Amino acid sequence: MTIKESIDHINGQIMQGNILGVFDEMYADNVVMQENSDEPRTGKAANRAYEEQFVAALETFHGAEIRSVNVNEEAGTSSVEWMMDMSLKGMGRMVREQVAIQRWENGKVVSERFYYKN
């Protein structure tokens, strides 16, 4: 798959609610993920645990919109601009706009950083 096909696959699975399944499928064992300027999380196990916490806190997913997808096949990068409308346990309903930037190697995400306003 090209990076464009891969990121479209990830986005489609997220829209269908298969967050953990597509994480297992498309993220490298050595993946590094980071929220804004927080400390990066290293390794698939640590990042899956973080994703599990997010999914467990998700009370209702009201909808999402992918506003843009950008891919640079030569550089091995992609970015996705999201709008997500969700309710989180203890936090209520929120609309989050975020940009996720991915770096790819051998068909897997090896780095992903999220930028959003808290």
Side-chain angles (χ1 to χ4, degrees):
M1 275 196 285
T2 65
I3 292 173
K4 175 73 169 111
E5 291 167 336
S6 295
I7 196 63
D8 287 347
H9 173 68
I10 289 173
N11 292 342
Q13 291 296 298
I14 290 170
M15 294 289 273
Q16 292 177 30
N18 188 21
I19 295 167
L20 297 176
V22 79
F23 177 84
D24 291 340
E25 176 188 1
M26 299 299 297
Y27 286 70
D29 290 340
N30 63 338
V31 66
V32 175
M33 298 173 75
Q34 184 174 3
E35 311 291 318
N36 290 317
S37 297
D38 294 352
E39 281 294 312
R41 297 178 304 277
T42 302
K44 196 165 191 172
N47 283 294
R48 190 174 202 292
Y50 187 89
E51 294 297 317
E52 288 170 355
Q53 290 175 347
F54 171 76
V55 170
L58 191 59
E59 195 168 74
T60 307
F61 191 69
H62 304 286
E65 176 185 338
I66 298 169
R67 295 196 170 148
S68 69
V69 175
N70 296 286
V71 174
N72 184 327
E73 296 282 346
E74 290 178 13
T77 61
S78 60
S79 65
V80 183
E81 180 185 8
W82 284 91
M83 181 286 300
M84 291 178 272
D85 183 0
M86 58 194 162
S87 295
L88 298 175
K89 294 175 184 167
M91 297 178 69
R93 190 168 182 168
M94 64 188 317
V95 174
R96 173 176 284 169
E97 296 182 22
Q98 75 176 22
V99 174
I101 299 175
Q102 301 84 21
R103 296 194 192 315
W104 297 80
E105 290 178 9
N106 302 316
K108 303 277 186 181
V109 176
V110 294
S111 172
E112 187 167 43
R113 188 167 180 182
F114 300 95
Y115 296 91
Y116 53 88
K117 182 179 177 182
N118 287 329

